[in-house]
Amino acid sequence: GQQVMQIPQYQHVQEGEDFTTYCNSSTTLSNIQWYKQRPGGHPVFLIQLVKSGEVKKQKRLTFQFGEAKKNSSLHITATQTTDVGTYFCAGRTSYDKVIFGPGTSLSVIP
Amino acid sequence: DTGVSQNPRHKITKRGQNVTFRCDPISEHNRLYWYRQTLGQGPEFLTYFQNEAQLEKSRLLSDRFSAERPKGSFSTLEIQRTEQGDSAMYLCASSSELVGGEALVLTFGAGSRLTVL
């Protein structure tokens, strides 16, 4: 069946360093969504990418959708302690099922 | 409307017992999703509804799991004859869909944590 993969599984950075997580799907996606889950919380929607090659920015966060619509990345510039959490990508299939990747857990050392 | 509501928040049960979780989605959302999440893992798709119709159920789910959304509003997830491997956080999410089908943003509830002893 369809799979969504993410690397790395964990990332520890010093505050102020950059962070990137990568997402890959085994099949072409209608769109890709990114969610953030704080420790002890539930996933919260960050952004959705729809078009091939699309790039979106939210302050220090930059999201990209690959040309083939099978991969995506999230880059955080100058991490802060408020960025701590697990970042999930999620792909929507042609049947509107939303499949989540395993997530990348970000720790920020002050 | 304050978002997606899930009850109970915590459930501790003995192996072999049945448990039921309830999800009240955002009122105008016609789609409702159930996921299961264990520590360190991403949400695992279980099933989803469009209005009262159950569109898909994960093949990973055994016949002990059943979900309903009888009037297209709230939904229940029942687990029969619970096993220790069922211990997890059960997350419900709802979404609406705009014309053109591009929205489908999931709003999650706080989850129902199940512990099977």
Side-chain angles (χ1 to χ4, degrees):
Chain A
Q2 179 185 20
Q3 286 188 316
V4 176
M5 296 149 282
Q6 278 183 260
I7 56 169
Q9 186 175 4
Y10 302 99
Q11 186 79 55
H12 305 279
V13 300
Q14 202 77 32
E15 188 173 17
E17 292 182 339
D18 292 355
F19 160 77
T20 304
T21 174
Y22 300 91
C23 174
N24 285 282
S25 170
S26 57
T27 58
T28 302
L29 299 169
S30 302
N31 64 31
I32 194 94
Q33 297 173 349
W34 285 91
Y35 292 78
K36 177 182 178 181
Q37 185 173 24
R38 296 183 184 273
H42 55 275
V44 175
F45 174 77
L46 292 177
I47 207 161
Q48 175 169 266
L49 304 169
V50 177
K51 299 176 183 176
S52 170
E54 188 171 12
V55 178
K56 286 188 176 180
K57 292 191 176 183
Q58 285 181 351
K59 298 181 180 179
R60 295 179 293 103
L61 279 61
T62 302
F63 303 84
Q64 288 189 309
F65 200 9
E67 294 290 339
K69 301 184 76 172
K70 294 179 71 174
N71 62 288
S72 181
S73 65
L74 158 59
H75 179 83
I76 302 178
T77 304
T79 54
Q80 300 174 359
T81 55
T82 53
D83 296 324
V84 165
T86 301
Y87 293 85
F88 295 101
C89 63
R92 174 189 173 187
T93 71
S94 56
Y95 297 104
D96 287 343
K97 188 167 71 174
V98 182
I99 304 296
F100 282 76
T104 296
S105 177
L106 172 64
S107 299
V108 179
I109 305 165
Chain B
D1 192 290
T2 56
V4 179
S5 176
Q6 291 190 245
N7 289 288
R9 292 290 309 278
H10 303 274
K11 179 70 176 178
I12 300 174
T13 191
K14 293 182 178 179
R15 186 177 55 186
Q17 298 296 305
N18 299 344
V19 296
T20 299
F21 301 116
R22 174 177 171 129
C23 173
D24 287 273
I26 292 172
S27 57
E28 61 266 28
H29 285 182
N30 63 343
R31 290 170 186 251
L32 187 148
Y33 295 75
W34 284 100
Y35 290 87
R36 176 171 63 189
Q37 187 176 30
T38 53
L39 193 62
Q41 301 297 316
E44 176 190 14
F45 171 81
L46 295 180
T47 189
Y48 80 111
F49 295 83
Q50 180 167 319
N51 299 312
E52 66 275 7
Q54 187 173 18
L55 298 186
E56 187 170 342
K57 180 177 176 180
S58 171
R59 290 175 222 164
L60 300 174
L61 279 190
S62 73
D63 291 342
R64 297 184 297 105
F65 287 74
S66 63
E68 294 183 339
R69 195 182 183 197
K71 298 182 180 179
S73 57
F74 73 91
S75 175
T76 57
L77 175 68
E78 181 183 17
I79 309 173
Q80 296 182 329
R81 304 181 304 281
T82 52
E83 302 172 356
Q84 288 184 326
D86 298 331
S87 295
M89 177 72 82
Y90 289 84
L91 293 166
C92 175
S94 69
S95 76
S96 60
E97 185 165 348
L98 298 178
V99 174
E102 296 299 348
L104 207 64
V105 171
L106 299 182
T107 301
F108 281 87
S112 293
R113 181 170 297 283
L114 173 64
T115 302
V116 182
L117 302 176

